[in-house]
Coordinates of all heavy atoms in Angstrom, one line a residue:
K1 N -22.4 -15.0 15.4 CA -23.7 -15.0 16.1 C -24.2 -13.6 16.2 O -25.5 -13.3 16.1 CB -23.5 -15.4 17.6 CG -23.2 -16.9 17.8 CD -23.2 -17.2 19.2 CE -22.5 -18.5 19.5 NZ -22.2 -18.8 20.8
A2 N -23.3 -12.6 16.3 CA -23.7 -11.1 16.4 C -24.3 -10.6 15.2 O -23.9 -11.0 14.1 CB -22.5 -10.3 16.9
G3 N -25.2 -9.6 15.3 CA -25.8 -9.0 14.2 C -24.8 -8.2 13.4 O -23.8 -7.7 14.0
A4 N -25.0 -8.0 12.1 CA -24.1 -7.4 11.2 C -24.6 -6.0 10.8 O -25.7 -6.0 10.2 CB -23.8 -8.2 10.0
R5 N -23.9 -4.9 11.0 CA -24.3 -3.6 10.7 C -24.2 -3.4 9.1 O -23.3 -3.7 8.6 CB -23.5 -2.6 11.4 CG -23.9 -1.1 11.4 CD -23.1 -0.2 12.3 NE -21.7 -0.2 11.8 CZ -21.3 0.7 10.8 NH1 -22.2 1.5 10.3 NH2 -20.1 0.8 10.4
F6 N -25.2 -2.8 8.6 CA -25.4 -2.6 7.1 C -24.7 -1.2 6.9 O -25.1 -0.1 7.4 CB -26.8 -2.5 6.7 CG -27.0 -2.4 5.2 CD1 -27.1 -3.6 4.5 CD2 -26.9 -1.2 4.5 CE1 -27.2 -3.6 3.1 CE2 -26.9 -1.2 3.1 CZ -27.2 -2.4 2.4
D7 N -23.5 -1.3 6.3 CA -22.7 -0.1 6.1 C -22.8 0.3 4.5 O -22.0 -0.4 3.8 CB -21.3 -0.3 6.6 CG -20.4 0.9 6.4 OD1 -20.9 1.9 5.8 OD2 -19.2 0.8 6.9
I8 N -23.5 1.3 4.2 CA -23.6 1.6 2.7 C -22.3 2.2 2.1 O -22.0 1.9 0.9 CB -24.8 2.5 2.5 CG1 -25.2 2.5 1.0 CG2 -24.5 3.9 3.0 CD1 -25.6 1.2 0.3
D9 N -21.5 2.7 2.9 CA -20.2 3.2 2.4 C -19.3 2.1 2.1 O -18.6 2.1 1.0 CB -19.5 4.2 3.5 CG -20.3 5.5 3.7 OD1 -20.8 5.9 2.7 OD2 -20.2 6.0 4.8
K10 N -19.4 1.0 2.9 CA -18.6 -0.2 2.5 C -19.2 -0.8 1.2 O -18.4 -1.3 0.4 CB -18.7 -1.2 3.6 CG -17.8 -2.4 3.5 CD -16.3 -2.0 3.7 CE -15.4 -3.2 3.6 NZ -14.0 -2.8 3.7
M11 N -20.5 -0.7 1.0 CA -21.1 -1.3 -0.2 C -20.5 -0.5 -1.4 O -20.3 -1.1 -2.4 CB -22.6 -1.2 -0.1 CG -23.4 -1.6 -1.4 SD -23.2 -3.3 -1.9 CE -22.4 -3.1 -3.5
K12 N -20.5 0.9 -1.3 CA -20.0 1.7 -2.3 C -18.5 1.4 -2.6 O -18.1 1.4 -3.8 CB -20.1 3.1 -2.0 CG -21.6 3.6 -2.1 CD -21.7 5.2 -1.6 CE -23.2 5.6 -1.6 NZ -23.4 6.9 -0.9
W13 N -17.8 1.1 -1.5 CA -16.3 0.7 -1.7 C -16.3 -0.6 -2.5 O -15.4 -0.7 -3.5 CB -15.7 0.5 -0.4 CG -14.2 0.1 -0.5 CD1 -13.2 0.9 -0.6 CD2 -13.8 -1.3 -0.4 NE1 -12.0 0.1 -0.7 CE2 -12.4 -1.2 -0.6 CE3 -14.3 -2.5 -0.3 CZ2 -11.6 -2.3 -0.6 CZ3 -13.6 -3.6 -0.3 CH2 -12.2 -3.5 -0.4
F14 N -17.1 -1.5 -2.3 CA -17.1 -2.8 -3.0 C -17.4 -2.5 -4.5 O -16.8 -3.0 -5.4 CB -18.1 -3.8 -2.5 CG -17.5 -4.7 -1.4 CD1 -17.9 -4.6 -0.1 CD2 -16.6 -5.7 -1.7 CE1 -17.3 -5.3 0.9 CE2 -16.1 -6.5 -0.8 CZ -16.5 -6.4 0.5
N15 N -18.4 -1.6 -4.7 CA -18.8 -1.3 -6.1 C -17.6 -0.7 -6.9 O -17.3 -0.9 -8.0 CB -20.0 -0.4 -6.1 CG -20.9 -0.6 -7.3 OD1 -21.5 -1.8 -7.3 ND2 -21.1 0.4 -8.2
Q16 N -16.9 0.2 -6.1 CA -15.7 0.9 -6.7 C -14.7 -0.1 -7.1 O -14.0 -0.1 -8.2 CB -15.2 2.0 -5.8 CG -14.0 2.7 -6.4 CD -13.5 3.8 -5.5 OE1 -13.3 3.6 -4.3 NE2 -13.2 4.9 -6.0
Q17 N -14.4 -1.2 -6.2 CA -13.5 -2.2 -6.4 C -13.8 -3.0 -7.7 O -13.0 -3.4 -8.5 CB -13.3 -3.1 -5.2 CG -12.8 -2.4 -4.0 CD -11.6 -1.7 -4.2 OE1 -10.5 -2.2 -4.6 NE2 -11.6 -0.3 -3.8
Y18 N -15.1 -3.2 -7.8 CA -15.6 -4.1 -9.0 C -15.6 -3.3 -10.3 O -15.5 -3.8 -11.3 CB -17.0 -4.6 -8.7 CG -16.9 -6.0 -8.0 CD1 -16.6 -6.0 -6.5 CD2 -16.9 -7.2 -8.6 CE1 -16.5 -7.2 -5.8 CE2 -16.8 -8.4 -7.9 CZ -16.6 -8.4 -6.6 OH -16.5 -9.6 -5.9
M19 N -15.7 -2.0 -10.0 CA -15.6 -1.1 -11.3 C -14.2 -1.3 -11.9 O -14.1 -1.3 -13.1 CB -15.8 0.4 -10.8 CG -15.9 1.4 -11.9 SD -17.6 1.7 -12.3 CE -17.4 2.8 -13.7
Q20 N -13.1 -1.4 -11.1 CA -11.8 -1.5 -11.6 C -11.6 -2.9 -12.3 O -10.9 -3.1 -13.3 CB -10.7 -1.4 -10.5 CG -11.0 -0.2 -9.6 CD -11.4 1.0 -10.2 OE1 -10.7 1.4 -11.2 NE2 -12.3 1.7 -9.7
L21 N -12.3 -3.9 -11.7 CA -12.3 -5.3 -12.2 C -13.0 -5.6 -13.6 O -12.7 -6.4 -14.2 CB -12.7 -6.3 -11.2 CG -11.9 -6.3 -9.9 CD1 -12.6 -7.2 -8.9 CD2 -10.5 -6.8 -10.0
K22 N -14.0 -4.7 -13.8 CA -14.9 -4.9 -15.1 C -14.0 -4.5 -16.3 O -13.1 -3.7 -16.2 CB -16.1 -4.0 -15.1 CG -17.0 -4.2 -13.9 CD -17.8 -5.4 -14.0 CE -18.7 -5.6 -12.9 NZ -19.4 -6.9 -12.9
S23 N -14.3 -5.2 -17.3 CA -13.6 -4.8 -18.6 C -14.1 -3.5 -19.1 O -15.2 -3.1 -18.9 CB -13.9 -5.9 -19.7 OG -15.2 -5.8 -20.2
N24 N -13.1 -2.8 -19.8 CA -13.4 -1.5 -20.4 C -14.6 -1.6 -21.4 O -15.5 -0.7 -21.4 CB -12.2 -0.9 -21.0 CG -11.1 -0.6 -20.0 OD1 -11.4 -0.3 -18.8 ND2 -9.9 -0.6 -20.5
E25 N -14.6 -2.8 -22.1 CA -15.6 -3.0 -23.1 C -17.0 -3.0 -22.5 O -17.9 -2.4 -22.9 CB -15.3 -4.3 -23.8 CG -16.3 -4.6 -24.9 CD -16.1 -6.0 -25.6 OE1 -15.1 -6.7 -25.1 OE2 -16.8 -6.4 -26.5
S26 N -17.2 -3.8 -21.4 CA -18.5 -4.0 -20.8 C -19.0 -2.7 -20.1 O -20.1 -2.3 -20.2 CB -18.5 -5.1 -19.7 OG -17.7 -4.8 -18.6
L27 N -17.9 -1.9 -19.5 CA -18.4 -0.6 -18.9 C -18.8 0.4 -20.0 O -19.7 1.2 -19.8 CB -17.2 -0.1 -18.1 CG -16.9 -0.8 -16.9 CD1 -15.6 -0.3 -16.2 CD2 -18.1 -0.8 -15.8
A28 N -18.1 0.3 -21.2 CA -18.4 1.3 -22.3 C -19.7 1.0 -22.8 O -20.5 2.0 -23.1 CB -17.4 1.1 -23.5
V29 N -20.1 -0.2 -22.9 CA -21.5 -0.6 -23.4 C -22.5 -0.1 -22.4 O -23.5 0.5 -22.8 CB -21.6 -2.2 -23.6 CG1 -23.1 -2.5 -23.8 CG2 -20.8 -2.6 -24.7
A30 N -22.3 -0.2 -21.1 CA -23.2 0.2 -20.1 C -23.3 1.7 -20.0 O -24.4 2.3 -19.9 CB -22.8 -0.3 -18.7
F31 N -22.1 2.5 -20.3 CA -22.1 3.9 -20.3 C -22.8 4.4 -21.4 O -23.5 5.4 -21.3 CB -20.6 4.2 -20.3 CG -20.3 5.7 -20.1 CD1 -21.2 6.6 -19.5 CD2 -19.1 6.2 -20.7 CE1 -20.9 7.9 -19.5 CE2 -18.8 7.6 -20.6 CZ -19.7 8.5 -20.0
Q32 N -22.6 3.8 -22.6 CA -23.3 4.3 -23.8 C -24.8 4.2 -23.6 O -25.6 5.0 -24.1 CB -22.9 3.4 -25.0 CG -23.4 4.0 -26.4 CD -22.9 3.3 -27.5 OE1 -22.7 2.0 -27.6 NE2 -22.3 4.0 -28.5
K33 N -25.4 3.0 -23.0 CA -26.8 2.9 -22.8 C -27.3 3.9 -21.8 O -28.4 4.4 -21.9 CB -27.0 1.5 -22.2 CG -27.1 0.4 -23.2 CD -27.4 -1.0 -22.5 CE -27.3 -2.1 -23.4 NZ -27.3 -3.3 -22.7
E34 N -26.4 4.3 -20.9 CA -26.8 5.2 -19.8 C -27.1 6.6 -20.4 O -27.9 7.4 -19.9 CB -25.7 5.3 -18.8 CG -25.9 6.2 -17.7 CD -26.4 5.5 -16.4 OE1 -26.5 4.3 -16.4 OE2 -26.8 6.3 -15.6

């Protein structure tokens, strides 16, 4: 019921976790485009 606080540091933590789960191949393609 209670409101949920938006914590951007937690969002960054999730992004870091997903970075580890991504294949090296998909990250390499994204990195090359970048």
Side-chain angles (χ1 to χ4, degrees):
K1 287 183 201 173
R5 188 173 68 84
F6 191 94
D7 182 353
I8 194 63
D9 291 329
K10 189 69 178 179
M11 175 65 241
K12 287 175 181 172
W13 177 85
F14 271 108
N15 216 64
Q16 186 180 40
Q17 300 306 303
Y18 274 82
M19 188 94 183
Q20 315 318 313
L21 297 172
K22 299 283 180 195
S23 71
N24 296 332
E25 183 184 1
S26 67
L27 291 174
V29 169
F31 186 24
Q32 191 175 45
K33 278 184 189 167
E34 179 96 11

